[in-house]
Amino acid sequence: MKKVLVLGGTGDAVKLAAKLATIPEIEVISSLAGRTKKPAALVGQVRIGGFGGAEGLANYLQENSIDILIDATHPCAGQITHNGAIASHIANISHLMLVRPQWERVTGDNWIEVESVESAAKAIPESVNRIFITSGRQQLEPFLQRSHIYPKTWYLMRSIDLPDVELPNSKMLLDRGPFSLEQERKLLRDYQIQAIVSKNSGGNATYAKIIAARELAIPIMMVQRPVMPEGEKVTSIEEAISWLQKL
Ligand code: NAP
């Protein structure tokens, strides 16, 4: 029997845990940061909350006799991914990062690529008054700052849970992907969106907004992914399962 810890918080991690649970010689534990009030249902054991840095994670791996660590966190969750790489090295266990390919710009896309959500807020042209924020409810401060400078700006914000920071002159949509192209086209039109803020999440679940923006010639402030640590990586659940079976 091998014990696998999956660092989660993504749809891929949910699917991976469900797959692993069907393999008889695998015991799967999923780990969530605890950000979402009602996380998607997970097959297998679940633990919730931070570990206390890389050392805390290494202790957890050792104390719970984890054999394999699979990091299936969001590609923009840079800290936990670095912690996973360090902790698996300390605990001397196998480590894999499941990283879905990033979206690539195609003809017709009007992306302004930025390093962070802060840079995204600064990069939005002054003339833009209606902004759709899809970069998460945790990083709204930069838009609060922007709204002090441009008080007429109106924000549409979409996330699974309510944010802690409330933006003035804004509307909140509580929703969880996947979103269809039809839905995204309608939303961008209905709210007369002039710019979108997105992270380069990759995957299909939230790609429809990228297509809809292309069709409607709406610019996207595209927040780039942080640099990943060295180590073994795969891009799909199927590849992760094959990697595991070769150990
Ligand atoms: P982060 O900046 O990389 O991590 C911050 C801290 O949160 C970590 O140091 C760790 O605390 C804790 N943490 C993060 N993921 C964890 C997990 N799966 N299990 C246990 N502890 C975890 O991460 P983040 O950007 O805040 O994202 C938090 C979670 O939301 C991630 O699990 C990620 O998959 C998910 N998520 C993130 C985004 C995004 O855009 N960043 C989007 C969708 C989903 P300790 O140091 O105390 O261990």
Side-chain angles (χ1 to χ4, degrees), residues 7-10 31-33 35 47 49-53 72-74 76-81 83 135 199:
L7 297 174
T10 59
S31 174
L32 301 176
R35 305 273 196 272
R47 63 151 311 280
F51 297 95
T73 57
H74 190 277
C76 293
Q79 188 59 57
I80 188 70
T81 293
N83 292 355
S135 47
K199 289 182 175 172

mmCIF file with all atom_site columns, all heavy atoms in Angstrom, residues 7-10 31-33 35 47 49-53 72-74 76-81 83 135 199, ligand 1:
data_model
loop_
_atom_site.group_PDB
_atom_site.id
_atom_site.type_symbol
_atom_site.label_atom_id
_atom_site.label_alt_id
_atom_site.label_comp_id
_atom_site.label_asym_id
_atom_site.label_entity_id
_atom_site.label_seq_id
_atom_site.pdbx_PDB_ins_code
_atom_site.Cartn_x
_atom_site.Cartn_y
_atom_site.Cartn_z
_atom_site.occupancy
_atom_site.B_iso_or_equiv
_atom_site.pdbx_formal_charge
_atom_site.auth_seq_id
_atom_site.auth_comp_id
_atom_site.auth_asym_id
_atom_site.auth_atom_id
_atom_site.pdbx_PDB_model_num
ATOM   1   N N   . LEU A 1 7   ? -1.844  17.682 -3.082  1.00 0.00 ? 7   LEU A N   1
ATOM   2   C CA  . LEU A 1 7   ? -2.077  19.091 -2.726  1.00 0.00 ? 7   LEU A CA  1
ATOM   3   C C   . LEU A 1 7   ? -3.107  19.608 -3.723  1.00 0.00 ? 7   LEU A C   1
ATOM   4   O O   . LEU A 1 7   ? -2.870  19.564 -4.935  1.00 0.00 ? 7   LEU A O   1
ATOM   5   C CB  . LEU A 1 7   ? -0.770  19.887 -2.817  1.00 0.00 ? 7   LEU A CB  1
ATOM   6   C CG  . LEU A 1 7   ? 0.348   19.457 -1.862  1.00 0.00 ? 7   LEU A CG  1
ATOM   7   C CD1 . LEU A 1 7   ? 1.630   20.234 -2.165  1.00 0.00 ? 7   LEU A CD1 1
ATOM   8   C CD2 . LEU A 1 7   ? -0.058  19.656 -0.407  1.00 0.00 ? 7   LEU A CD2 1
ATOM   9   N N   . GLY A 1 8   ? -4.235  20.060 -3.212  1.00 0.00 ? 8   GLY A N   1
ATOM   10  C CA  . GLY A 1 8   ? -5.359  20.333 -4.104  1.00 0.00 ? 8   GLY A CA  1
ATOM   11  C C   . GLY A 1 8   ? -5.812  21.780 -4.146  1.00 0.00 ? 8   GLY A C   1
ATOM   12  O O   . GLY A 1 8   ? -5.031  22.710 -4.036  1.00 0.00 ? 8   GLY A O   1
ATOM   13  N N   . GLY A 1 9   ? -7.127  21.919 -4.322  1.00 0.00 ? 9   GLY A N   1
ATOM   14  C CA  . GLY A 1 9   ? -7.699  23.255 -4.467  1.00 0.00 ? 9   GLY A CA  1
ATOM   15  C C   . GLY A 1 9   ? -8.051  23.556 -5.912  1.00 0.00 ? 9   GLY A C   1
ATOM   16  O O   . GLY A 1 9   ? -8.305  24.708 -6.257  1.00 0.00 ? 9   GLY A O   1
ATOM   17  N N   . THR A 1 10  ? -8.057  22.522 -6.749  1.00 0.00 ? 10  THR A N   1
ATOM   18  C CA  . THR A 1 10  ? -8.382  22.697 -8.179  1.00 0.00 ? 10  THR A CA  1
ATOM   19  C C   . THR A 1 10  ? -9.311  21.561 -8.626  1.00 0.00 ? 10  THR A C   1
ATOM   20  O O   . THR A 1 10  ? -9.380  20.511 -7.968  1.00 0.00 ? 10  THR A O   1
ATOM   21  C CB  . THR A 1 10  ? -7.099  22.604 -9.039  1.00 0.00 ? 10  THR A CB  1
ATOM   22  O OG1 . THR A 1 10  ? -6.495  21.318 -8.810  1.00 0.00 ? 10  THR A OG1 1
ATOM   23  C CG2 . THR A 1 10  ? -6.100  23.682 -8.718  1.00 0.00 ? 10  THR A CG2 1
ATOM   24  N N   . SER A 1 31  ? -5.260  17.472 0.307   1.00 0.00 ? 31  SER A N   1
ATOM   25  C CA  . SER A 1 31  ? -5.028  18.599 1.212   1.00 0.00 ? 31  SER A CA  1
ATOM   26  C C   . SER A 1 31  ? -5.558  19.889 0.595   1.00 0.00 ? 31  SER A C   1
ATOM   27  O O   . SER A 1 31  ? -5.243  20.207 -0.555  1.00 0.00 ? 31  SER A O   1
ATOM   28  C CB  . SER A 1 31  ? -3.528  18.746 1.474   1.00 0.00 ? 31  SER A CB  1
ATOM   29  O OG  . SER A 1 31  ? -3.304  19.920 2.223   1.00 0.00 ? 31  SER A OG  1
ATOM   30  N N   . LEU A 1 32  ? -6.344  20.616 1.374   1.00 0.00 ? 32  LEU A N   1
ATOM   31  C CA  . LEU A 1 32  ? -6.881  21.898 0.919   1.00 0.00 ? 32  LEU A CA  1
ATOM   32  C C   . LEU A 1 32  ? -6.393  23.005 1.849   1.00 0.00 ? 32  LEU A C   1
ATOM   33  O O   . LEU A 1 32  ? -6.233  22.781 3.051   1.00 0.00 ? 32  LEU A O   1
ATOM   34  C CB  . LEU A 1 32  ? -8.416  21.882 0.954   1.00 0.00 ? 32  LEU A CB  1
ATOM   35  C CG  . LEU A 1 32  ? -9.119  20.816 0.119   1.00 0.00 ? 32  LEU A CG  1
ATOM   36  C CD1 . LEU A 1 32  ? -10.626 20.878 0.353   1.00 0.00 ? 32  LEU A CD1 1
ATOM   37  C CD2 . LEU A 1 32  ? -8.812  21.022 -1.364  1.00 0.00 ? 32  LEU A CD2 1
ATOM   38  N N   . ALA A 1 33  ? -6.205  24.192 1.262   1.00 0.00 ? 33  ALA A N   1
ATOM   39  C CA  . ALA A 1 33  ? -5.769  25.334 2.082   1.00 0.00 ? 33  ALA A CA  1
ATOM   40  C C   . ALA A 1 33  ? -6.889  25.792 3.019   1.00 0.00 ? 33  ALA A C   1
ATOM   41  O O   . ALA A 1 33  ? -6.633  26.373 4.066   1.00 0.00 ? 33  ALA A O   1
ATOM   42  C CB  . ALA A 1 33  ? -5.331  26.471 1.170   1.00 0.00 ? 33  ALA A CB  1
ATOM   43  N N   . ARG A 1 35  ? -9.521  27.792 1.832   1.00 0.00 ? 35  ARG A N   1
ATOM   44  C CA  . ARG A 1 35  ? -9.980  29.128 1.390   1.00 0.00 ? 35  ARG A CA  1
ATOM   45  C C   . ARG A 1 35  ? -11.477 29.121 1.033   1.00 0.00 ? 35  ARG A C   1
ATOM   46  O O   . ARG A 1 35  ? -12.159 30.098 1.248   1.00 0.00 ? 35  ARG A O   1
ATOM   47  C CB  . ARG A 1 35  ? -9.217  29.577 0.142   1.00 0.00 ? 35  ARG A CB  1
ATOM   48  C CG  . ARG A 1 35  ? -7.722  29.566 0.277   1.00 0.00 ? 35  ARG A CG  1
ATOM   49  C CD  . ARG A 1 35  ? -7.203  30.879 0.851   1.00 0.00 ? 35  ARG A CD  1
ATOM   50  N NE  . ARG A 1 35  ? -5.780  30.960 0.604   1.00 0.00 ? 35  ARG A NE  1
ATOM   51  C CZ  . ARG A 1 35  ? -4.857  30.467 1.415   1.00 0.00 ? 35  ARG A CZ  1
ATOM   52  N NH1 . ARG A 1 35  ? -5.209  29.889 2.538   1.00 0.00 ? 35  ARG A NH1 1
ATOM   53  N NH2 . ARG A 1 35  ? -3.578  30.566 1.108   1.00 0.00 ? 35  ARG A NH2 1
ATOM   54  N N   . ARG A 1 47  ? -7.721  16.610 4.376   1.00 0.00 ? 47  ARG A N   1
ATOM   55  C CA  . ARG A 1 47  ? -7.265  17.424 5.497   1.00 0.00 ? 47  ARG A CA  1
ATOM   56  C C   . ARG A 1 47  ? -7.297  18.883 5.028   1.00 0.00 ? 47  ARG A C   1
ATOM   57  O O   . ARG A 1 47  ? -7.076  19.169 3.842   1.00 0.00 ? 47  ARG A O   1
ATOM   58  C CB  . ARG A 1 47  ? -5.873  17.006 5.979   1.00 0.00 ? 47  ARG A CB  1
ATOM   59  C CG  . ARG A 1 47  ? -4.827  17.203 4.921   1.00 0.00 ? 47  ARG A CG  1
ATOM   60  C CD  . ARG A 1 47  ? -3.431  17.487 5.397   1.00 0.00 ? 47  ARG A CD  1
ATOM   61  N NE  . ARG A 1 47  ? -3.282  18.509 6.384   1.00 0.00 ? 47  ARG A NE  1
ATOM   62  C CZ  . ARG A 1 47  ? -3.264  19.824 6.135   1.00 0.00 ? 47  ARG A CZ  1
ATOM   63  N NH1 . ARG A 1 47  ? -3.456  20.292 4.909   1.00 0.00 ? 47  ARG A NH1 1
ATOM   64  N NH2 . ARG A 1 47  ? -3.062  20.679 7.114   1.00 0.00 ? 47  ARG A NH2 1
ATOM   65  N N   . GLY A 1 49  ? -6.232  23.076 5.754   1.00 0.00 ? 49  GLY A N   1
ATOM   66  C CA  . GLY A 1 49  ? -5.436  24.090 6.450   1.00 0.00 ? 49  GLY A CA  1
ATOM   67  C C   . GLY A 1 49  ? -3.971  24.011 6.089   1.00 0.00 ? 49  GLY A C   1
ATOM   68  O O   . GLY A 1 49  ? -3.496  22.978 5.602   1.00 0.00 ? 49  GLY A O   1
ATOM   69  N N   . GLY A 1 50  ? -3.258  25.136 6.315   1.00 0.00 ? 50  GLY A N   1
ATOM   70  C CA  . GLY A 1 50  ? -1.825  25.187 6.007   1.00 0.00 ? 50  GLY A CA  1
ATOM   71  C C   . GLY A 1 50  ? -1.029  24.230 6.896   1.00 0.00 ? 50  GLY A C   1
ATOM   72  O O   . GLY A 1 50  ? -1.518  23.780 7.944   1.00 0.00 ? 50  GLY A O   1
ATOM   73  N N   . PHE A 1 51  ? 0.200   23.955 6.480   1.00 0.00 ? 51  PHE A N   1
ATOM   74  C CA  . PHE A 1 51  ? 1.061   23.025 7.223   1.00 0.00 ? 51  PHE A CA  1
ATOM   75  C C   . PHE A 1 51  ? 2.048   23.783 8.110   1.00 0.00 ? 51  PHE A C   1
ATOM   76  O O   . PHE A 1 51  ? 2.674   23.198 8.975   1.00 0.00 ? 51  PHE A O   1
ATOM   77  C CB  . PHE A 1 51  ? 1.869   22.167 6.244   1.00 0.00 ? 51  PHE A CB  1
ATOM   78  C CG  . PHE A 1 51  ? 1.025   21.282 5.377   1.00 0.00 ? 51  PHE A CG  1
ATOM   79  C CD1 . PHE A 1 51  ? 0.644   21.682 4.098   1.00 0.00 ? 51  PHE A CD1 1
ATOM   80  C CD2 . PHE A 1 51  ? 0.592   20.040 5.832   1.00 0.00 ? 51  PHE A CD2 1
ATOM   81  C CE1 . PHE A 1 51  ? -0.129  20.863 3.295   1.00 0.00 ? 51  PHE A CE1 1
ATOM   82  C CE2 . PHE A 1 51  ? -0.176  19.216 5.023   1.00 0.00 ? 51  PHE A CE2 1
ATOM   83  C CZ  . PHE A 1 51  ? -0.545  19.634 3.751   1.00 0.00 ? 51  PHE A CZ  1
ATOM   84  N N   . GLY A 1 52  ? 2.212   25.076 7.822   1.00 0.00 ? 52  GLY A N   1
ATOM   85  C CA  . GLY A 1 52  ? 3.234   25.844 8.528   1.00 0.00 ? 52  GLY A CA  1
ATOM   86  C C   . GLY A 1 52  ? 4.537   25.828 7.743   1.00 0.00 ? 52  GLY A C   1
ATOM   87  O O   . GLY A 1 52  ? 5.575   25.426 8.273   1.00 0.00 ? 52  GLY A O   1
ATOM   88  N N   . GLY A 1 53  ? 4.456   26.238 6.477   1.00 0.00 ? 53  GLY A N   1
ATOM   89  C CA  . GLY A 1 53  ? 5.654   26.340 5.633   1.00 0.00 ? 53  GLY A CA  1
ATOM   90  C C   . GLY A 1 53  ? 6.168   24.991 5.169   1.00 0.00 ? 53  GLY A C   1
ATOM   91  O O   . GLY A 1 53  ? 5.567   23.941 5.443   1.00 0.00 ? 53  GLY A O   1
ATOM   92  N N   . ALA A 1 72  ? -1.135  19.172 -7.130  1.00 0.00 ? 72  ALA A N   1
ATOM   93  C CA  . ALA A 1 72  ? -2.118  19.484 -8.183  1.00 0.00 ? 72  ALA A CA  1
ATOM   94  C C   . ALA A 1 72  ? -2.776  20.824 -7.865  1.00 0.00 ? 72  ALA A C   1
ATOM   95  O O   . ALA A 1 72  ? -3.946  21.040 -8.156  1.00 0.00 ? 72  ALA A O   1
ATOM   96  C CB  . ALA A 1 72  ? -3.156  18.369 -8.276  1.00 0.00 ? 72  ALA A CB  1
ATOM   97  N N   . THR A 1 73  ? -2.009  21.727 -7.265  1.00 0.00 ? 73  THR A N   1
ATOM   98  C CA  . THR A 1 73  ? -2.554  23.043 -6.923  1.00 0.00 ? 73  THR A CA  1
ATOM   99  C C   . THR A 1 73  ? -2.646  23.914 -8.181  1.00 0.00 ? 73  THR A C   1
ATOM   100 O O   . THR A 1 73  ? -2.120  23.562 -9.239  1.00 0.00 ? 73  THR A O   1
ATOM   101 C CB  . THR A 1 73  ? -1.665  23.755 -5.873  1.00 0.00 ? 73  THR A CB  1
ATOM   102 O OG1 . THR A 1 73  ? -0.340  23.850 -6.396  1.00 0.00 ? 73  THR A OG1 1
ATOM   103 C CG2 . THR A 1 73  ? -1.649  23.012 -4.557  1.00 0.00 ? 73  THR A CG2 1
ATOM   104 N N   . HIS A 1 74  ? -3.279  25.058 -8.025  1.00 0.00 ? 74  HIS A N   1
ATOM   105 C CA  . HIS A 1 74  ? -3.416  25.997 -9.148  1.00 0.00 ? 74  HIS A CA  1
ATOM   106 C C   . HIS A 1 74  ? -2.025  26.466 -9.586  1.00 0.00 ? 74  HIS A C   1
ATOM   107 O O   . HIS A 1 74  ? -1.161  26.706 -8.742  1.00 0.00 ? 74  HIS A O   1
ATOM   108 C CB  . HIS A 1 74  ? -4.269  27.186 -8.681  1.00 0.00 ? 74  HIS A CB  1
ATOM   109 C CG  . HIS A 1 74  ? -4.678  28.082 -9.786  1.00 0.00 ? 74  HIS A CG  1
ATOM   110 N ND1 . HIS A 1 74  ? -3.855  29.066 -10.281 1.00 0.00 ? 74  HIS A ND1 1
ATOM   111 C CD2 . HIS A 1 74  ? -5.823  28.140 -10.511 1.00 0.00 ? 74  HIS A CD2 1
ATOM   112 C CE1 . HIS A 1 74  ? -4.475  29.700 -11.257 1.00 0.00 ? 74  HIS A CE1 1
ATOM   113 N NE2 . HIS A 1 74  ? -5.677  29.155 -11.420 1.00 0.00 ? 74  HIS A NE2 1
ATOM   114 N N   . CYS A 1 76  ? -0.934  29.164 -10.325 1.00 0.00 ? 76  CYS A N   1
ATOM   115 C CA  . CYS A 1 76  ? -0.527  30.460 -9.758  1.00 0.00 ? 76  CYS A CA  1
ATOM   116 C C   . CYS A 1 76  ? -0.302  30.390 -8.246  1.00 0.00 ? 76  CYS A C   1
ATOM   117 O O   . CYS A 1 76  ? 0.028   31.404 -7.623  1.00 0.00 ? 76  CYS A O   1
ATOM   118 C CB  . CYS A 1 76  ? -1.557  31.535 -10.094 1.00 0.00 ? 76  CYS A CB  1
ATOM   119 S SG  . CYS A 1 76  ? -1.592  31.889 -11.857 1.00 0.00 ? 76  CYS A SG  1
ATOM   120 N N   . ALA A 1 77  ? -0.499  29.222 -7.647  1.00 0.00 ? 77  ALA A N   1
ATOM   121 C CA  . ALA A 1 77  ? -0.255  29.070 -6.200  1.00 0.00 ? 77  ALA A CA  1
ATOM   122 C C   . ALA A 1 77  ? 1.228   28.740 -6.004  1.00 0.00 ? 77  ALA A C   1
ATOM   123 O O   . ALA A 1 77  ? 1.611   27.596 -5.777  1.00 0.00 ? 77  ALA A O   1
ATOM   124 C CB  . ALA A 1 77  ? -1.163  27.981 -5.632  1.00 0.00 ? 77  ALA A CB  1
ATOM   125 N N   . GLY A 1 78  ? 2.052   29.775 -6.097  1.00 0.00 ? 78  GLY A N   1
ATOM   126 C CA  . GLY A 1 78  ? 3.501   29.585 -6.142  1.00 0.00 ? 78  GLY A CA  1
ATOM   127 C C   . GLY A 1 78  ? 4.105   29.117 -4.828  1.00 0.00 ? 78  GLY A C   1
ATOM   128 O O   . GLY A 1 78  ? 5.038   28.308 -4.822  1.00 0.00 ? 78  GLY A O   1
ATOM   129 N N   . GLN A 1 79  ? 3.581   29.617 -3.714  1.00 0.00 ? 79  GLN A N   1
ATOM   130 C CA  . GLN A 1 79  ? 4.208   29.317 -2.423  1.00 0.00 ? 79  GLN A CA  1
ATOM   131 C C   . GLN A 1 79  ? 4.099   27.841 -2.062  1.00 0.00 ? 79  GLN A C   1
ATOM   132 O O   . GLN A 1 79  ? 5.080   27.200 -1.727  1.00 0.00 ? 79  GLN A O   1
ATOM   133 C CB  . GLN A 1 79  ? 3.536   30.179 -1.324  1.00 0.00 ? 79  GLN A CB  1
ATOM   134 C CG  . GLN A 1 79  ? 4.231   30.081 0.013   1.00 0.00 ? 79  GLN A CG  1
ATOM   135 C CD  . GLN A 1 79  ? 5.682   30.523 -0.058  1.00 0.00 ? 79  GLN A CD  1
ATOM   136 O OE1 . GLN A 1 79  ? 5.978   31.634 -0.463  1.00 0.00 ? 79  GLN A OE1 1
ATOM   137 N NE2 . GLN A 1 79  ? 6.596   29.627 0.279   1.00 0.00 ? 79  GLN A NE2 1
ATOM   138 N N   . ILE A 1 80  ? 2.895   27.308 -2.157  1.00 0.00 ? 80  ILE A N   1
ATOM   139 C CA  . ILE A 1 80  ? 2.705   25.901 -1.761  1.00 0.00 ? 80  ILE A CA  1
ATOM   140 C C   . ILE A 1 80  ? 3.494   24.973 -2.695  1.00 0.00 ? 80  ILE A C   1
ATOM   141 O O   . ILE A 1 80  ? 4.020   23.945 -2.257  1.00 0.00 ? 80  ILE A O   1
ATOM   142 C CB  . ILE A 1 80  ? 1.190   25.519 -1.686  1.00 0.00 ? 80  ILE A CB  1
ATOM   143 C CG1 . ILE A 1 80  ? 1.003   24.125 -1.096  1.00 0.00 ? 80  ILE A CG1 1
ATOM   144 C CG2 . ILE A 1 80  ? 0.498   25.636 -3.027  1.00 0.00 ? 80  ILE A CG2 1
ATOM   145 C CD1 . ILE A 1 80  ? 1.299   23.976 0.347   1.00 0.00 ? 80  ILE A CD1 1
ATOM   146 N N   . THR A 1 81  ? 3.611   25.364 -3.957  1.00 0.00 ? 81  THR A N   1
ATOM   147 C CA  . THR A 1 81  ? 4.359   24.527 -4.907  1.00 0.00 ? 81  THR A CA  1
ATOM   148 C C   . THR A 1 81  ? 5.846   24.498 -4.546  1.00 0.00 ? 81  THR A C   1
ATOM   149 O O   . THR A 1 81  ? 6.476   23.437 -4.565  1.00 0.00 ? 81  THR A O   1
ATOM   150 C CB  . THR A 1 81  ? 4.104   25.021 -6.353  1.00 0.00 ? 81  THR A CB  1
ATOM   151 O OG1 . THR A 1 81  ? 2.727   24.754 -6.632  1.00 0.00 ? 81  THR A OG1 1
ATOM   152 C CG2 . THR A 1 81  ? 4.958   24.314 -7.381  1.00 0.00 ? 81  THR A CG2 1
ATOM   153 N N   . ASN A 1 83  ? 6.970   25.034 -1.523  1.00 0.00 ? 83  ASN A N   1
ATOM   154 C CA  . ASN A 1 83  ? 7.030   24.281 -0.254  1.00 0.00 ? 83  ASN A CA  1
ATOM   155 C C   . ASN A 1 83  ? 6.996   22.767 -0.521  1.00 0.00 ? 83  ASN A C   1
ATOM   156 O O   . ASN A 1 83  ? 7.703   22.007 0.134   1.00 0.00 ? 83  ASN A O   1
ATOM   157 C CB  . ASN A 1 83  ? 5.848   24.655 0.652   1.00 0.00 ? 83  ASN A CB  1
ATOM   158 C CG  . ASN A 1 83  ? 5.944   26.089 1.161   1.00 0.00 ? 83  ASN A CG  1
ATOM   159 O OD1 . ASN A 1 83  ? 6.945   26.765 0.913   1.00 0.00 ? 83  ASN A OD1 1
ATOM   160 N ND2 . ASN A 1 83  ? 4.920   26.550 1.846   1.00 0.00 ? 83  ASN A ND2 1
ATOM   161 N N   . SER A 1 135 ? -9.570  37.347 -11.426 1.00 0.00 ? 135 SER A N   1
ATOM   162 C CA  . SER A 1 135 ? -8.282  36.882 -10.892 1.00 0.00 ? 135 SER A CA  1
ATOM   163 C C   . SER A 1 135 ? -8.368  36.465 -9.428  1.00 0.00 ? 135 SER A C   1
ATOM   164 O O   . SER A 1 135 ? -7.338  36.256 -8.789  1.00 0.00 ? 135 SER A O   1
ATOM   165 C CB  . SER A 1 135 ? -7.232  37.981 -11.091 1.00 0.00 ? 135 SER A CB  1
ATOM   166 O OG  . SER A 1 135 ? -7.747  39.229 -10.667 1.00 0.00 ? 135 SER A OG  1
ATOM   167 N N   . LYS A 1 199 ? -5.906  35.452 -14.595 1.00 0.00 ? 199 LYS A N   1
ATOM   168 C CA  . LYS A 1 199 ? -4.615  34.782 -14.438 1.00 0.00 ? 199 LYS A CA  1
ATOM   169 C C   . LYS A 1 199 ? -4.486  33.794 -15.590 1.00 0.00 ? 199 LYS A C   1
ATOM   170 O O   . LYS A 1 199 ? -5.504  33.303 -16.085 1.00 0.00 ? 199 LYS A O   1
ATOM   171 C CB  . LYS A 1 199 ? -4.575  34.037 -13.109 1.00 0.00 ? 199 LYS A CB  1
ATOM   172 C CG  . LYS A 1 199 ? -4.485  34.981 -11.925 1.00 0.00 ? 199 LYS A CG  1
ATOM   173 C CD  . LYS A 1 199 ? -4.386  34.220 -10.625 1.00 0.00 ? 199 LYS A CD  1
ATOM   174 C CE  . LYS A 1 199 ? -4.164  35.193 -9.484  1.00 0.00 ? 199 LYS A CE  1
ATOM   175 N NZ  . LYS A 1 199 ? -4.253  34.543 -8.164  1.00 0.00 ? 199 LYS A NZ  1
HETATM 176 P P1  . NAP B 2 .   ? -0.121  29.901 -2.090  1.00 0.00 ? 1   NAP B P1  1
HETATM 177 O O1  . NAP B 2 .   ? 0.059   31.369 -2.068  1.00 0.00 ? 1   NAP B O1  1
HETATM 178 O O2  . NAP B 2 .   ? 0.786   29.093 -2.922  1.00 0.00 ? 1   NAP B O2  1
HETATM 179 O O3  . NAP B 2 .   ? -0.044  29.305 -0.622  1.00 0.00 ? 1   NAP B O3  1
HETATM 180 C C1  . NAP B 2 .   ? -0.118  30.089 0.550   1.00 0.00 ? 1   NAP B C1  1
HETATM 181 C C2  . NAP B 2 .   ? -0.189  29.158 1.728   1.00 0.00 ? 1   NAP B C2  1
HETATM 182 O O4  . NAP B 2 .   ? -1.459  28.513 1.777   1.00 0.00 ? 1   NAP B O4  1
HETATM 183 C C3  . NAP B 2 .   ? 0.810   28.023 1.678   1.00 0.00 ? 1   NAP B C3  1
HETATM 184 O O5  . NAP B 2 .   ? 2.089   28.429 2.100   1.00 0.00 ? 1   NAP B O5  1
HETATM 185 C C4  . NAP B 2 .   ? 0.143   27.006 2.588   1.00 0.00 ? 1   NAP B C4  1
HETATM 186 O O6  . NAP B 2 .   ? 0.268   27.385 3.947   1.00 0.00 ? 1   NAP B O6  1
HETATM 187 C C5  . NAP B 2 .   ? -1.319  27.170 2.251   1.00 0.00 ? 1   NAP B C5  1
HETATM 188 N N1  . NAP B 2 .   ? -1.772  26.269 1.195   1.00 0.00 ? 1   NAP B N1  1
HETATM 189 C C6  . NAP B 2 .   ? -1.933  26.529 -0.130  1.00 0.00 ? 1   NAP B C6  1
HETATM 190 N N2  . NAP B 2 .   ? -2.426  25.461 -0.764  1.00 0.00 ? 1   NAP B N2  1
HETATM 191 C C7  . NAP B 2 .   ? -2.570  24.493 0.154   1.00 0.00 ? 1   NAP B C7  1
HETATM 192 C C8  . NAP B 2 .   ? -3.066  23.167 0.119   1.00 0.00 ? 1   NAP B C8  1
HETATM 193 N N3  . NAP B 2 .   ? -3.516  22.616 -1.031  1.00 0.00 ? 1   NAP B N3  1
HETATM 194 N N4  . NAP B 2 .   ? -3.093  22.455 1.285   1.00 0.00 ? 1   NAP B N4  1
HETATM 195 C C9  . NAP B 2 .   ? -2.663  23.014 2.436   1.00 0.00 ? 1   NAP B C9  1
HETATM 196 N N5  . NAP B 2 .   ? -2.207  24.279 2.545   1.00 0.00 ? 1   NAP B N5  1
HETATM 197 C C10 . NAP B 2 .   ? -2.165  25.005 1.419   1.00 0.00 ? 1   NAP B C10 1
HETATM 198 O O7  . NAP B 2 .   ? -1.610  29.531 -2.487  1.00 0.00 ? 1   NAP B O7  1
HETATM 199 P P2  . NAP B 2 .   ? -2.865  30.464 -2.859  1.00 0.00 ? 1   NAP B P2  1
HETATM 200 O O8  . NAP B 2 .   ? -2.572  31.129 -4.144  1.00 0.00 ? 1   NAP B O8  1
HETATM 201 O O9  . NAP B 2 .   ? -3.247  31.252 -1.649  1.00 0.00 ? 1   NAP B O9  1
HETATM 202 O O10 . NAP B 2 .   ? -3.943  29.334 -3.124  1.00 0.00 ? 1   NAP B O10 1
HETATM 203 C C11 . NAP B 2 .   ? -4.541  28.620 -2.061  1.00 0.00 ? 1   NAP B C11 1
HETATM 204 C C12 . NAP B 2 .   ? -5.237  27.412 -2.619  1.00 0.00 ? 1   NAP B C12 1
HETATM 205 O O11 . NAP B 2 .   ? -6.227  27.826 -3.554  1.00 0.00 ? 1   NAP B O11 1
HETATM 206 C C13 . NAP B 2 .   ? -4.316  26.459 -3.354  1.00 0.00 ? 1   NAP B C13 1
HETATM 207 O O12 . NAP B 2 .   ? -4.527  25.177 -2.820  1.00 0.00 ? 1   NAP B O12 1
HETATM 208 C C14 . NAP B 2 .   ? -4.689  26.538 -4.799  1.00 0.00 ? 1   NAP B C14 1
HETATM 209 O O13 . NAP B 2 .   ? -4.675  25.281 -5.451  1.00 0.00 ? 1   NAP B O13 1
HETATM 210 C C15 . NAP B 2 .   ? -6.101  27.112 -4.766  1.00 0.00 ? 1   NAP B C15 1
HETATM 211 N N6  . NAP B 2 .   ? -6.339  28.057 -5.863  1.00 0.00 ? 1   NAP B N6  1
HETATM 212 C C16 . NAP B 2 .   ? -5.506  29.108 -6.055  1.00 0.00 ? 1   NAP B C16 1
HETATM 213 C C17 . NAP B 2 .   ? -5.732  29.967 -7.111  1.00 0.00 ? 1   NAP B C17 1
HETATM 214 C C18 . NAP B 2 .   ? -4.797  31.116 -7.387  1.00 0.00 ? 1   NAP B C18 1
HETATM 215 O O14 . NAP B 2 .   ? -5.057  31.865 -8.350  1.00 0.00 ? 1   NAP B O14 1
HETATM 216 N N7  . NAP B 2 .   ? -3.735  31.318 -6.634  1.00 0.00 ? 1   NAP B N7  1
HETATM 217 C C19 . NAP B 2 .   ? -6.825  29.760 -7.967  1.00 0.00 ? 1   NAP B C19 1
HETATM 218 C C20 . NAP B 2 .   ? -7.665  28.671 -7.739  1.00 0.00 ? 1   NAP B C20 1
HETATM 219 C C21 . NAP B 2 .   ? -7.409  27.832 -6.680  1.00 0.00 ? 1   NAP B C21 1
HETATM 220 P P3  . NAP B 2 .   ? 1.435   26.815 4.898   1.00 0.00 ? 1   NAP B P3  1
HETATM 221 O O15 . NAP B 2 .   ? 2.681   27.516 4.455   1.00 0.00 ? 1   NAP B O15 1
HETATM 222 O O16 . NAP B 2 .   ? 0.980   27.169 6.262   1.00 0.00 ? 1   NAP B O16 1
HETATM 223 O O17 . NAP B 2 .   ? 1.493   25.351 4.650   1.00 0.00 ? 1   NAP B O17 1
#
